[in-house]
């Protein structure tokens, strides 16, 4: 016998009994409730779920058309069949237009069982389609919420609101916190703010402890979902804390499910749904939806964890760079002073030419090492914001010539000729140290990748900007690497073939942008590369 929850809208108990008898003859086990007024019908629909409604067409105080309106007010999809002793074709058509699924004369009930069977199947199909569409929309919304740029806690709070109240009365999300020894409630949703606050308060004082045989703690330990269609039938509570048990009894959960949220390292937390009112119970379709929501939330939690780990690693690296740069500064300064003293002594006192040459080479290497240390220190500073500038007024042409002069010995050492061409003075207010550092990076880069070939340095004015161009005839730069070489530690070639930290161009671009300018690279016709640094000139110098 198939169970059937039946609402009968009928003023004649004998006619209602005939309908029940016919349904039993067709293999149903009906549990019926009879009403004959609009008020009674409204009350019945609020207090219980029905599979089908059988209604007389006309009663002294109520009609089938009025009953259809009462049903439609609830928004529920319950098949409605008219069973009447005096319904005509016109009334039948009117009832069908109003929403009835079928109609029968009371003296022809032989087809009633088959019609009920058909309407139940069609209602199930409609509900399945509606549920599938509802779940699809909910999951799409969940993806949108989880992808928002808000902080993680806010995204989780918005996520748990999605299933309430369409799927469940409660939705909670708990994360495992080893330091607190349990599952911490981080988000929950319920239509009643007071009931939600009651749950939140008790959970913040007493997080669900691990090691329980049922509920979220058990799901956390096993990684397996749990569906409890009847909470009252569960042999043990989900917690040993008496205060928590009392609150759960007050809230009156009737049905619940718990699913794990997984990360790469294991279960990160538990998402739960629960019902605390009505006759509805959570089932397999609710479990499937909750698992998909938990899967998406788990991915976001895992990504957040990995992002924090990356941030921590970057912070540790930058701290190391800062400490290392500061520690290296002291011995380098001392070494530079000692070498400078020896070189001064060599110039004043007769000394072997070879020894003097070696001292000069040593000084160049110390200066080069000092530049690398300063670059590391600059990078560690730049990770926390824009570079600090100390602007002063100076001539860009003079500054570029000073840098080129410093690189004269290095250019001679690699067999390259440094050529400078410049127009009239170009004045502006810039941080001299950073501008010279940027020009030095471009010149050093050209000498490194174009040894034995001339390097040309041009200083010109382009409208309101002063422009420094450094051109070499070296190995060139692949077009797809023209931007990458300006990234931190960015390279277009292997560090085994060409030394350096990959920081000079990065620092040059950051310095240019901090001044309101820019820096870029281009391939050069005939081979080699052209690097350009642009800086804004003083207003009176602008064309």
């Amino acid at each position: 016998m198939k169970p059937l929850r039946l609402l009968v809208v009928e003023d004649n108990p004998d006619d209602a009994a005939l309908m029940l008898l016919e349904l039993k003859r067709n293999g149903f086990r009906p549990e019926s409730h009879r009403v004959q007024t609009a008020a009674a019908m409204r009350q019945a629909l609020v207090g219980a779920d029905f599979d089908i409604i059988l209604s007389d067409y006309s009663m002294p105080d109520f009609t089938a058309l009025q009953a259809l309106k009462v049903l439609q007010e609830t928004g529920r999809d319950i098949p409605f069949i008219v069973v009447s002793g005096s319904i005509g074709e016109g009334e039948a058509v009117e009832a069908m237009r109003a929403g009835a699924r079928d109609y029968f004369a009371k003296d022809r009930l032989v087809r009633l069982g088959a019609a009920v069977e058909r309407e139940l199947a069609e209602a199930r199909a409609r509900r399945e389609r509606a549920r599938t569409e509802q779940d699809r929309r909910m999951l799409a919304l969940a993806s949108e919420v989880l992808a928002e740029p808000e902080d993680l806690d806010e995204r989780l709070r918005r996520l748990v609101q999605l299933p309430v109240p369409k799927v469940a009365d409660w939705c909670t999300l708990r994360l495992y916190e080893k330091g607190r020894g349990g599952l911490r409630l981080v988000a929950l949703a319920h239509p009643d703010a007071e009931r939600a606050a009651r749950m939140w308060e008790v959970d913040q004082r007493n997080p669900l402890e691990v090691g329980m045989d049922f509920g979220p703690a058990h799901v956390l330990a096993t990684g397996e979902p749990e569906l409890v269609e009847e909470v009252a039938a569960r042999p043990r509570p989900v917690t040993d804390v008496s205060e928590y048990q009392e609150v759960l009894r007050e809230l009156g959960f009737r049905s619940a499910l718990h699913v794990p949220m997984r990360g790469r390292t294991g279960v990160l937390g538990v998402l739960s749904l629960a019902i605390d009112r009505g006759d509805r119970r959570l089932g397999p379709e609710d479990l499937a939806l909750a698992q998909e929501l938990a899967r998406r939330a788990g991915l976001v939690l895992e990504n957040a964890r990995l992002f924090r780990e990356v941030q921590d690693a970057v912070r540790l690296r930058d701290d190391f760079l800062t400490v290392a740069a500061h520690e290296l500064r002291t011995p380098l300064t001392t070494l530079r002073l000692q070498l400078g003293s020896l070189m001064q002594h060599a110039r004043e006192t007769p000394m072997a030419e070879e020894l003097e040459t070696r001292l000069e080479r040593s000084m160049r290497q110390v200066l080069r090492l000092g530049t690398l240390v300063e670059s590391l220190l600059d990078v560690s500073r730049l990770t926390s914001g824009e570079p600090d500038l100390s602007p002063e007024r100076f001539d860009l042409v003079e500054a570029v010539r000073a840098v080129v002069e410093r690189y004269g010995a290095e250019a001679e050492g690699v067999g390259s000729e440094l050529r400078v061409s410049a127009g009239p003075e170009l004045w502006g207010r810039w941080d001299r140290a950073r501008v010279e550092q940027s020009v030095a990076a471009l010149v050093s880069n050209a000498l490194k990748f174009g040894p034995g070939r001339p390097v040309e340095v041009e200083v010109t004015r382009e409208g309101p900007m002063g422009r420094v161009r450094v051109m070499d005839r070296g190995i060139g730069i692949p077009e797809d690497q023209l931007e990458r070489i300006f990234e931190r530690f960015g390279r277009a070639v292997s560090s085994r073939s060409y030394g350096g930290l990959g920081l000079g161009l990065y620092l040059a671009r950051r310095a240019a942008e901090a001044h309101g300018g820019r820096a870029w690279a281009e391939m050069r016709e005939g081979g080699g590369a052209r690097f350009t640094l642009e800086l804004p000139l003083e207003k009176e110098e602008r064309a």
Side-chain angles (χ1 to χ4, degrees):
M1 302 286 284
K2 299 182 286 282
L4 180 68
R5 294 169 297 181
L6 174 66
L7 180 61
V8 180
V9 184
E10 174 63 70
D11 63 328
N12 188 328
D14 292 336
D15 287 345
L18 286 174
M19 287 186 280
L20 295 179
L21 181 62
E22 185 62 30
L23 290 171
K24 290 176 182 177
R25 289 181 59 252
N26 282 270
F28 290 101
R29 187 176 72 249
E31 295 179 6
S32 67
H33 181 77
R34 186 171 66 88
V35 298
Q36 51 186 321
T37 66
M41 183 175 177
R42 287 191 181 93
Q43 184 177 359
L45 289 172
V46 168
D49 289 329
F50 294 99
D51 297 316
I52 200 162
I53 299 174
L54 303 181
S55 175
D56 194 357
Y57 183 78
S58 179
M59 294 165 283
D61 300 315
F62 203 29
T63 68
L65 299 181
Q66 292 171 328
L68 279 165
K69 288 183 179 179
V70 170
L71 174 61
Q72 290 161 1
E73 288 172 2
T74 68
R76 295 163 66 179
D77 181 11
I78 304 175
F80 190 104
I81 296 178
V82 177
V83 182
S84 175
S86 59
I87 190 171
E89 186 174 342
E91 291 87 351
V93 170
E94 186 179 11
M96 297 292 283
R97 286 176 176 171
R101 307 294 302 180
D102 207 341
Y103 65 92
F104 296 97
K106 288 184 178 178
D107 58 353
R108 297 182 181 179
L109 294 179
V110 66
R111 291 194 304 111
L112 180 61
V116 168
E117 189 78 60
R118 180 194 69 237
E119 291 304 326
L120 291 176
E122 290 184 4
R124 280 194 299 272
R126 287 195 303 274
R127 284 193 292 270
E128 288 173 2
R129 288 194 297 270
R131 178 59 189 263
T132 299
E133 180 62 19
Q134 173 186 282
D135 290 356
R136 186 191 66 78
R137 291 178 180 176
M138 191 174 298
L139 292 173
L141 283 173
S143 295
E144 291 180 12
V145 166
L146 293 171
E148 290 289 333
E150 299 169 327
D151 95 359
L152 180 61
D153 286 346
E154 179 59 28
R155 282 182 282 167
L156 296 179
R157 281 191 289 270
R158 291 177 59 193
L159 175 70
V160 297
Q161 293 170 6
L162 296 178
V164 176
K166 291 182 179 179
V167 176
D169 301 319
W170 289 89
C171 182
T172 62
L173 193 150
R174 292 177 169 87
L175 298 181
Y176 176 58
E177 290 190 350
K178 189 174 182 180
R180 295 186 64 185
L183 281 162
R184 179 174 68 93
L185 184 62
V186 297
L188 84 162
H190 188 275
D192 188 329
E194 290 185 8
R195 291 169 71 83
R198 187 83 173 97
M199 167 68 83
W200 181 267
E201 289 170 4
V202 72
D203 194 277
Q204 295 306 298
R205 289 194 298 271
N206 307 285
L208 291 179
E209 66 272 24
V210 297
M212 300 300 295
D213 295 334
F214 301 97
H218 184 64
V219 171
L220 177 74
T222 63
E224 295 297 326
E226 179 182 276
L227 173 61
V228 185
E229 295 187 12
E230 291 290 343
V231 169
R234 186 165 50 194
R236 285 188 57 196
V238 298
T239 176
D240 287 333
V241 178
S242 58
E243 181 189 13
Y244 213 140
Q245 292 178 9
E246 180 61 29
V247 170
L248 293 178
R249 281 193 293 270
E250 289 176 12
L251 296 176
F253 291 124
R254 301 186 180 186
S255 182
L257 62 82
H258 314 285
V259 294
M261 292 183 294
R262 302 179 186 278
R264 291 182 177 86
T265 58
V267 179
L268 304 175
V270 178
L271 184 143
S272 303
L273 300 178
I275 299 289
D276 64 4
R277 55 188 173 181
D279 293 334
R280 195 173 73 81
R281 296 295 182 266
L282 295 171
E285 68 276 11
D286 304 303
L287 181 64
L289 173 65
Q291 286 179 304
E292 183 57 26
L293 286 173
R295 185 188 71 81
R296 299 184 186 203
L299 287 174
V300 171
L301 290 168
E302 179 67 16
N303 289 339
R305 183 185 68 81
L306 292 174
F307 182 65
R308 284 194 300 270
E309 289 181 358
V310 169
Q311 285 182 313
D312 291 342
V314 169
R315 189 160 43 249
L316 285 173
R317 184 202 64 191
D318 292 338
D319 289 345
F320 169 77
L321 291 177
T322 302
V323 172
H326 278 294
E327 290 297 317
L328 288 170
R329 265 178 161 181
T330 301
L332 278 174
T333 301
T334 302
L335 183 57
R336 186 167 61 246
L337 290 173
Q338 293 295 327
L339 284 174
S341 177
L342 287 173
M343 290 177 66
Q344 182 65 29
H345 184 66
R347 295 188 186 101
E348 296 173 354
T349 307
M351 183 179 290
E353 183 179 346
E354 182 182 354
L355 181 57
E356 185 175 351
T357 301
R358 289 186 178 182
L359 283 174
E360 290 176 351
R361 288 176 180 171
S362 298
M363 178 60 83
R364 284 200 300 271
Q365 294 304 314
V366 168
L367 292 175
R368 181 169 176 268
L369 185 55
T371 300
L372 294 176
V373 169
E374 291 301 320
S375 295
L376 286 174
L377 192 56
D378 277 343
V379 168
S380 64
R381 289 169 179 160
L382 287 173
T383 55
S384 59
E386 292 297 320
D388 294 328
L389 301 179
S390 300
E392 60 179 287
R393 186 174 183 270
F394 63 91
D395 174 22
L396 183 61
V397 174
E398 181 272 327
V400 171
R401 289 188 183 278
V403 171
V404 171
E405 184 178 346
R406 290 203 299 270
Y407 276 86
E410 184 173 332
E412 185 179 347
V414 298
S416 295
E417 180 185 359
L418 268 175
R419 303 171 182 167
V420 180
S421 62
E425 296 174 342
L426 297 173
W427 290 85
R429 290 187 60 80
W430 309 293
D431 185 314
R432 187 178 188 112
R434 293 197 179 275
V435 170
E436 291 188 357
Q437 181 188 43
S438 301
V439 176
L442 303 187
V443 173
S444 175
N445 192 73
L447 293 173
K448 181 194 301 183
F449 293 103
R453 298 177 183 179
V455 173
E456 301 169 48
V457 182
E458 291 182 353
V459 188
T460 59
R461 183 174 64 193
E462 297 292 331
M465 309 296 284
R467 178 176 289 181
V468 180
R469 277 183 173 167
V470 178
M471 295 163 283
D472 65 63
R473 299 185 182 278
I475 62 174
I477 309 168
E479 189 170 359
D480 61 351
Q481 299 292 318
L482 290 173
E483 282 300 310
R484 185 176 181 277
I485 58 175
F486 285 96
E487 298 173 1
R488 269 194 306 179
F489 308 106
R491 292 177 173 277
V493 295
S494 170
S495 60
R496 295 182 180 180
S497 303
Y498 296 88
L501 298 174
L503 295 174
L505 296 179
Y506 166 75
L507 294 172
R509 172 170 281 184
R510 290 297 301 272
E513 292 173 347
H515 284 95
R518 59 192 184 119
W520 72 93
E522 304 167 281
M523 293 186 294
R524 189 180 181 190
E525 291 183 10
R530 177 170 54 241
F531 289 84
T532 304
L533 175 72
E534 272 193 353
L535 298 168
L537 297 170
E538 239 178 10
K539 289 183 180 179
E540 57 266 26
E541 286 293 326
R542 295 182 180 177

